[in-house]
C-alpha cells in the first residue's frame, strides 16, 4: 500500500559513459575473466539505469528492482576481486554504497507498510497509523528522488561505466594482474562459488544462536552466492541445470526466511521512530512464533544445501579452453 508521491522527472536518465562495444552477448566458460566481468557488470549497471525513471516516480516495484540490480552489481565486483581491486575501486564502491543507502530507507518503509496492511483491517486506529507511515515514506522518497536526479548520481553512473570498461585494473602489467585477467571464467567461478558456499554453510550451522546483526551478515553471504550463480546462468550445461536449480531453490528458501527476519528487525526500528505518534507500533513486528518458524525453514534449507555436491568445473564447462 505504499503510495507513490509525485516527483519531477525533468532530469533525463543518465546515460552510460561508455557503450558496450564489442563485448559478446553471452558468457562462455573459456572466456577470460576480464571480459566476463565487463559483461556481467555492464548488464547490472544497465538494469539499474532501466529502473531510474520508475523509481523517481515513486513506483515501489521499480525501487525493488533497482535495489536488486545494484546488489547484483556490487556482488559482481566482490566476485571478481582481487582482479578489479585497483586504486579507483574504493571510490566506485563508496558511491555504490551511498546509492544503496538512499534506496534502502524507502524500500524498508514500503515493506513495513505492506506488513501493516496485510495484518490489519479497516480499524480507525490502523488507518491513523498508516497515515504516519505514509508521511514518513513520502518524506524519504522526496530525498531519494532528489538524490537520483543529482549531479552526484550522474557522476556515479559515468565513473562506474568508465571503470568497468577501462579502469586501472584492466591495464596493470604485473604477472599476477595479467594472470587474473586471463584466468578462464569456469576456473575462477568454480573456485569462488566453492569458497563462498563453504563459508556460508559454516556460519549457517550456528544460525539459531546468531543475534540480529550476525544473522543479517549471514543473509548477505547467502545473497552473494545466490546472485553470483544467477549471473552465471549462461554457463550451465544442460546436464547441470537440475543441480543448479536445486541449489538455487534452497538458497532462495533460506534467503526468503532470513529476509523476512531482517524486515521484522528493520520494522521494529522504524516503528520505534513513530512511538510518539503511534505508541507501541513496534509490537506489530514482534512475533516469537513467526521467528521460530522462519528460522526452522532456513535451517532446513541449509541442511539440504549441505548435502548437495559442490560445483565442479565440469558443471560450468566440460573441457573448456581459454578463448582469445
Amino acid at each position: 500500500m505504499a503510495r507513490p508521491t509525485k516527483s519531477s522527472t525533468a532530469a533525463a536518465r543518465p546515460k552510460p559513459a561508455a557503450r558496450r562495444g564489442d563485448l559478446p552477448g553471452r558468457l562462455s566458460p573459456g572466456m577470460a575473466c576480464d571480459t566476463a566481468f565487463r559483461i556481467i557488470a555492464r548488464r547490472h549497471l544497465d538494469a539499474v539505469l532501466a529502473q531510474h525513471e520508475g523509481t523517481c516516480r515513486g513506483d515501489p516495484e521499480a525501487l525493488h528492482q533497482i535495489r536488486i540490480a545494484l546488489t547484483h552489481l556490487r556482488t559482481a565486483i566482490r566476485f571478481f576481486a582481487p582482479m578489479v581491486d585497483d586504486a579507483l575501486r574504493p571510490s566506485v564502491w563508496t558511491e555504490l554504497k551511498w546509492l544503496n543507502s538512499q534506496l534502502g530507507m524507502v524500500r524498508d518503509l514500503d515493506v513495513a507498510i505492506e506488513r501493516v496492511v496485510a495484518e490489519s483491517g479497516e480499524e480507525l486506529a490502523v488507518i491513523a497509523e498508516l497515515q504516519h507511515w505514509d508521511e514518513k515514506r513520502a518524506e524519504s522518497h522526496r530525498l531519494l528522488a532528489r538524490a537520483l536526479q543529482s549531479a552526484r548520481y550522474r557522476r556515479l553512473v559515468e565513473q562506474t561505466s568508465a571503470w568497468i570498461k577501462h579502469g586501472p585494473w584492466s591495464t596493470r602489467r604485473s604477472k599476477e594482474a595479467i594472470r587474473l585477467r586471463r584466468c578462464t571464467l569456469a576456473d575462477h567461478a568454480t573456485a569462488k562459488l566453492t569458497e563462498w558456499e563453504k563459508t556460508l554453510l559454516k556460519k549457517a550451522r550456528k544460525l539459531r544462536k546468531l543475534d540480529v546483526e550476525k544473522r543479517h551478515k549471514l543473509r548477505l553471504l547467502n545473497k552473494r552466492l545466490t546472485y553470483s550463480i544467477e549471473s552465471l546462468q549462461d554457463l550451465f550445461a544442460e546436464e547441470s541445470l537440475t543441480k543448479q536449480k536445486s541449489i538455487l531453490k534452497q538458497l532462495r528458501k533460506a534467503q526468503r526466511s532470513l529476509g523476512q527476519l531482517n524486515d521484522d528487525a528493520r520494522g521494529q526500528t522504524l516503528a520505534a521512530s513513530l512511538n510518539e505518534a503511534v505508541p507501541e507500533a513496534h509490537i506489530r513486528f514482534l512475533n516469537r512464533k513467526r521467528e521460530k518458524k522462519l528460522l526452522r525453514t532456513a535451517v532446513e534449507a541449509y541442511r539440504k544445501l549441505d548435502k548437495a555436491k559442490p560445483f565442479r568445473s565440469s558443471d560450468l564447462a566440460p573441457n573448456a579452453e581459454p578463448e582469445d
Side-chain angles (χ1 to χ4, degrees):
M1 183 172 165
R3 300 180 179 107
T5 59
K6 293 183 180 179
S7 174
S8 171
T9 55
R13 176 163 61 91
K15 300 295 183 183
R19 293 181 301 174
R20 196 183 300 269
D22 296 324
L23 288 176
R26 288 176 57 86
L27 300 172
S28 58
M31 176 179 286
C33 279
D34 56 353
T35 302
F37 170 69
R38 289 188 178 102
I39 292 173
I40 293 172
R42 185 73 253 171
R43 284 177 180 174
H44 298 318
L45 181 57
D46 286 350
V48 169
L49 299 179
Q51 300 300 331
H52 177 267
E53 292 182 3
T55 304
C56 285
R57 289 196 303 269
D59 180 357
E61 181 59 24
L63 172 61
H64 180 50
Q65 293 303 321
I66 199 174
R67 287 197 75 205
I68 290 176
L70 182 59
T71 303
H72 266 291
L73 176 56
R74 297 173 72 201
T75 298
I77 294 172
R78 289 181 182 274
F79 191 79
F80 285 96
M83 181 186 75
V84 297
D85 290 345
D86 61 17
L88 288 183
R89 192 205 65 83
S91 176
V92 171
W93 189 260
T94 296
E95 293 305 288
L96 294 177
K97 188 174 181 180
W98 165 77
L99 178 56
N100 189 61
S101 68
Q102 300 299 307
L103 298 165
M105 176 57 76
V106 184
R107 179 60 185 167
D108 287 342
L109 284 164
D110 283 345
V111 172
I113 290 170
E114 288 174 5
R115 176 78 174 273
V116 173
V117 172
E119 295 186 359
S120 61
E122 296 297 324
E123 301 92 340
L124 290 178
V126 174
I127 294 174
E129 179 182 346
L130 279 174
Q131 181 179 351
H132 290 292
W133 281 104
D134 280 349
E135 288 173 356
K136 195 173 184 68
R137 200 267 182 192
E139 178 186 359
S140 295
H141 178 263
R142 282 194 294 271
L143 295 175
L144 171 60
R146 188 181 306 165
L148 289 174
Q149 294 163 347
S150 68
R152 182 173 182 177
Y153 175 77
R154 289 191 293 273
R155 286 194 302 269
L156 176 157
V157 173
E158 292 165 0
Q159 177 189 39
T160 304
S161 183
W163 177 74
I164 290 169
K165 184 176 182 182
H166 49 66
W169 65 270
S170 66
T171 56
R172 289 183 298 187
R173 303 310 303 168
S174 70
K175 289 183 179 179
E176 179 62 7
I178 294 172
R179 183 190 70 80
L180 290 171
R181 291 198 298 269
R182 290 180 177 176
C183 178
T184 66
L185 178 56
D187 286 346
H188 175 74
T190 301
K192 187 65 78 172
L193 292 176
T194 300
E195 174 192 344
W196 283 9
E197 183 181 49
K198 183 178 179 180
T199 301
L200 175 65
L201 290 175
K202 181 179 179 180
K203 294 184 181 296
R205 293 185 188 108
K206 302 176 182 178
L207 175 55
R208 294 184 188 277
K209 299 179 181 179
L210 299 181
D211 59 23
V212 172
E213 183 60 29
K214 290 182 178 178
R215 202 161 61 199
H216 172 62
K217 290 180 179 179
L218 178 67
R219 184 179 70 89
L220 294 180
L221 289 174
N222 192 113
K223 187 177 290 188
R224 287 171 199 161
L225 182 58
T226 303
Y227 283 9
S228 294
I229 294 173
E230 290 175 347
S231 290
L232 297 170
Q233 179 71 37
D234 295 349
L235 298 188
F236 290 92
E238 286 296 325
E239 56 269 23
S240 64
L241 284 178
T242 299
K243 178 178 180 178
Q244 178 219 17
K245 289 178 180 178
S246 176
I247 289 175
L248 281 175
K249 179 181 178 181
Q250 302 309 325
L251 285 170
R252 288 168 178 163
K253 186 178 294 185
Q255 186 68 36
R256 281 194 298 272
S257 293
L258 294 176
Q260 289 173 38
L261 288 168
N262 186 66
D263 290 341
D264 288 352
R266 291 292 300 140
Q268 290 177 44
T269 300
L270 290 169
S273 67
L274 296 178
N275 262 347
E276 287 189 15
V278 189
E280 301 184 347
H282 68 285
I283 293 176
R284 187 182 305 283
F285 300 93
L286 294 173
N287 188 325
R288 184 60 181 164
K289 183 177 180 181
R290 168 184 163 90
E291 181 180 359
K292 287 182 177 180
K293 181 179 179 181
L294 290 171
L295 282 173
R296 186 164 59 248
T297 299
V299 167
E300 177 63 14
Y302 285 129
R303 186 187 67 79
K304 291 181 179 179
L305 182 63
D306 202 11
K307 286 187 174 182
K309 295 180 180 179
F311 283 114
R312 298 283 183 250
S313 296
S314 58
D315 293 323
L316 303 180
N319 304 316
E321 293 295 334
E323 297 177 359
D324 294 331

